[in-house]
């Protein structure tokens, strides 16, 4: 069964959290047999972990047979998948450290926290543009090396012309990828007086509503690359985006273009990057993913993966993913899973059956047949699919015998069955 929390506890969470609870977040009425175990593979924000009610959840890094795993950067690829595992929560956006395909085979949704660190990354991108435009790294190094020289002030005045830069206002920024982060970067750049081109063929309706009307929608990447003085990348790393900036992009870019990569290593082709820097066609490369081959190049501004490294971002990510894990474990609802479709249904009936399956014909018919043969009346049902996977929520008006659960699990194509 699921668990319950008091109205006072829920209000306390709302008061403490900068994020609102998930919409329609409901808790089952009967918590008499509820106890979930959460294994943490990294240090997770205490504020986020406080969303797990004491006495109803056990949380720790030495948990055996966990119901869910919560992590940030830990690598799960070499870890065995416990038979008890029902969900994985990544307190961040990327899931490269999680064997998503393997989890899918077992009907295990992998949750992430898209947008929770968007403001932190946006601010770092703006900082990266300022570092590049105003030669701040070299200027700081010069000022620090003067030390306690008695003529330090005179030396600064005499040499400051070496660090003359340019203002961002009036220049053109190209934003590749207009998700939660890209939209914020584009809007911030507009506020700084920049002209902004954006490109994203898969932009969501929510993203379009949030994007400044002044952002120019590029018809192609080539158009964006040719127009921009600065190019910032905000796309996931996959087969379609690997090396998205290569020799063809370099050929059409402005001489001295500034590239900003706060997305993923691999987005920019290393060969094109090396040639662009060597020939001066790339004026600056600002990256959150330092590589040994770039060390010492004065045109490279390398940061140690600081994109989401703020206390606020870590808290926001933890709060979001904990809410998603709870809603799944307690209600079967899915929000922000990278492998299963978003599925949410207000509860009706006394018990809910949650079924993950391969997206094949006649699955709903087979499920309904098993339940009907067992005399279980369906109060309501919701099915959603995403590529090769599908997910079902079925509310019934009486208890679901274990024999019925086993019969459902035996249907060809069913990946997991549980009752909450």
């Amino acid at each position: 069964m699921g668990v319950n929390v008091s109205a006072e506890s829920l209000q306390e969470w709302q008061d403490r959290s900068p994020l609102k609870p998930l919409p329609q977040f409901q808790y089952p009425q009967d918590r008499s047999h509820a106890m979930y175990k959460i294994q943490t593979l990294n240090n997770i924000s205490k504020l986020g972990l406080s969303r797990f009610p004491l006495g109803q959840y056990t949380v720790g890094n030495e948990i055996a047979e966990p119901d869910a795993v919560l992590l940030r950067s830990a690598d799960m690829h070499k870890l065995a998948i416990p038979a008890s595992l029902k969900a994985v929560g990544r307190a961040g956006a990327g899931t490269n450290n999680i064997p998503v395909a393997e989890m899918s085979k077992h009907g295990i949704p992998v949750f992430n926290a898209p947008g929770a660190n968007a403001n932190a990354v946006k601010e770092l991108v703006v900082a990266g543009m300022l570092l590049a435009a105003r030669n701040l790294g070299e200027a700081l190094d010069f000022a620090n090396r003067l030390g306690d020289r008695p003529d330090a002030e005179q030396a600064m005045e005499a040499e400051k012309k070496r660090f003359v830069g340019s203002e961002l206002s009036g220049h053109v920024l190209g934003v590749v990828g207009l998700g939660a982060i890209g939209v914020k970067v584009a809007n911030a750049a507009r506020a700084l007086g920049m002209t902004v081109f954006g490109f994203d063929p898969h932009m969501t309706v929510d993203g379009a509503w949030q994007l400044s009307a002044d952002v120019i929608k590029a018809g192609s990447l080539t158009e964006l690359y040719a127009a921009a003085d600065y190019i910032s990348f905000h796309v996931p790393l996959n087969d379609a985006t690997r090396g998205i900036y290569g020799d063809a992009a370099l050929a059409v870019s402005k001489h001295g273009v500034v590239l900003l990569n706060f997305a993923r290593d691999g987005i920019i082709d290393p060969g094109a990057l090396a040639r662009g820097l060597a020939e001066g066609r790339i004026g600056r490369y600002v990256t959150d993913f330092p590589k040994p081959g770039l060390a010492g190049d004065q045109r490279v501004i390398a940061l140690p993966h600081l994109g989401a490294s703020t206390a606020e971002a870590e808290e926001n990510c933890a709060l979001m993913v904990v809410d998603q894990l709870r809603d799944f474990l307690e209600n079967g609802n899915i929000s922000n899973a990278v492998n299963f479709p978003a599925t949410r249904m207000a509860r009706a009936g006394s018990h809910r059956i949650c079924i993950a399956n391969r997206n094949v014909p006649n699955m709903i018919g087979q499920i309904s047949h098993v339940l009907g043969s067992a005399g279980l009346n369906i109060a309501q049902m919701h099915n959603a699919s995403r590529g090769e996977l599908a997910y079902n929520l079925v509310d019934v008006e009486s208890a679901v015998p274990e024999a019925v659960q086993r019969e459902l699990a035996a249907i060809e194509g069913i990946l997991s069955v549980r009752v909450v």
Side-chain angles (χ1 to χ4, degrees):
M1 296 294 294
V3 300
N4 199 0
V5 294
S6 67
E8 292 78 8
S9 297
L10 183 58
Q11 184 61 51
E12 181 183 355
W13 290 355
Q14 294 177 4
D15 292 342
R16 294 180 63 189
S17 172
L19 297 180
K20 294 181 180 179
L22 294 173
Q24 301 180 358
F25 195 177
Q26 303 170 44
Y27 299 90
Q29 297 303 308
D30 182 1
R31 66 182 185 184
S32 57
H33 299 94
M35 174 59 73
Y36 294 109
K37 296 189 290 185
I38 310 296
Q39 182 181 22
T40 56
L41 300 184
N42 295 105
N43 291 326
I44 306 295
S45 159
K46 291 182 179 179
L47 181 59
L49 295 181
S50 72
R51 305 286 277 249
F52 291 120
L54 293 174
Q56 299 163 38
Y57 280 80
T58 302
V59 182
N61 59 1
E62 297 294 336
I63 297 290
E65 300 182 340
D67 294 287
V69 167
L70 183 56
L71 74 160
R72 292 174 58 205
S73 59
D75 189 353
M76 288 191 68
H77 285 277
K78 297 181 180 180
L79 300 181
I81 300 176
S84 60
L85 193 64
K86 302 173 181 66
V88 175
R90 164 76 162 91
T95 55
N96 294 345
N97 56 323
I98 300 169
V100 177
E102 190 64 25
M103 296 299 172
S104 298
K105 293 177 183 178
H106 296 274
I108 299 171
V110 177
F111 297 93
N112 67 345
N117 61 5
N119 190 69
V121 179
K122 174 207 74 178
E123 291 185 358
L124 197 60
V125 171
V126 172
M129 286 196 291
L130 290 169
L131 284 167
R134 299 300 299 271
N135 301 310
L136 295 180
E138 296 91 331
L140 285 167
D141 182 62
F142 169 73
N144 287 332
R145 283 190 289 105
L146 288 176
D148 296 327
R149 280 175 45 179
D151 63 339
E153 291 186 13
Q154 294 86 343
M156 287 183 190
E157 285 297 320
E159 296 295 328
K160 67 180 183 181
K161 58 182 177 292
R162 291 167 44 193
F163 310 108
V164 171
S166 62
E167 298 180 12
L168 296 179
S169 179
H171 285 81
V172 179
L173 170 67
V175 181
V176 180
L178 293 168
I181 297 172
V183 165
K184 286 183 177 292
V185 169
N187 291 347
R190 282 296 301 130
L192 289 169
M194 302 183 78
T195 298
V196 180
F197 282 72
F199 180 81
D200 191 336
H202 308 294
M203 190 175 187
T204 65
V205 173
D206 285 345
W209 274 107
Q210 296 174 40
L211 185 66
S212 169
D214 295 330
V215 173
I216 301 167
K217 285 74 174 178
S220 67
L221 280 173
T222 299
E223 179 187 355
L224 182 149
Y225 291 151
D229 302 299
Y230 297 79
I231 303 172
S232 190
F233 298 88
H234 302 286
V235 294
L237 180 63
N238 52 42
D239 291 340
T241 61
R242 188 178 300 278
I244 198 171
Y245 190 94
D247 287 328
L250 185 61
V252 300
S253 295
K254 291 182 179 180
H255 189 86
V257 66
V258 176
L259 304 181
L260 301 112
N261 183 7
F262 290 87
R264 285 289 184 269
D265 184 42
I267 295 294
I268 297 175
D269 179 74
L273 175 62
R275 285 186 287 275
L277 289 170
E279 297 167 7
R281 287 189 285 169
I282 297 175
R284 291 278 195 173
Y285 178 50
V286 188
T287 180
D288 214 16
F289 313 99
K291 289 293 183 183
L294 301 175
D297 191 323
Q298 292 300 307
R299 291 158 300 178
V300 175
I301 300 172
L303 303 173
H305 205 178
L306 297 178
S309 294
T310 68
E312 295 87 348
E314 291 181 8
E315 286 189 350
N316 289 345
C317 288
L319 289 164
M320 180 182 288
V321 79
V322 167
D323 276 356
Q324 292 165 177
L325 282 177
R326 286 201 59 194
D327 201 14
F328 175 74
L329 291 173
E330 299 169 24
N331 295 308
N333 292 327
I334 292 180
S335 298
N336 293 324
V338 300
N339 52 346
F340 281 91
T343 313
R344 178 174 297 280
M345 186 170 72
R347 295 187 72 119
S350 62
H351 293 73
R352 169 168 288 185
I353 309 171
C354 310
I355 303 171
N357 58 275
R358 293 199 296 272
N359 188 17
V360 295
N362 196 35
M363 189 60 70
I364 295 176
Q366 294 182 79
I367 293 170
S368 300
H369 176 73
V370 169
L371 297 179
S373 298
L376 292 171
N377 186 49
I378 298 176
Q380 63 177 352
M381 183 175 185
H382 180 60
N383 167 269
S385 62
R386 179 176 178 177
E388 297 179 352
L389 299 174
Y391 186 70
N392 301 272
L393 294 176
V394 185
D395 285 351
V396 294
E397 296 179 342
S398 55
V400 184
E402 290 188 7
V404 173
Q405 297 180 49
R406 289 194 296 269
E407 189 174 354
L408 288 170
I411 296 174
E412 178 69 25
I414 294 288
L415 303 174
S416 67
V417 177
R418 67 189 185 99
V419 177
V420 295

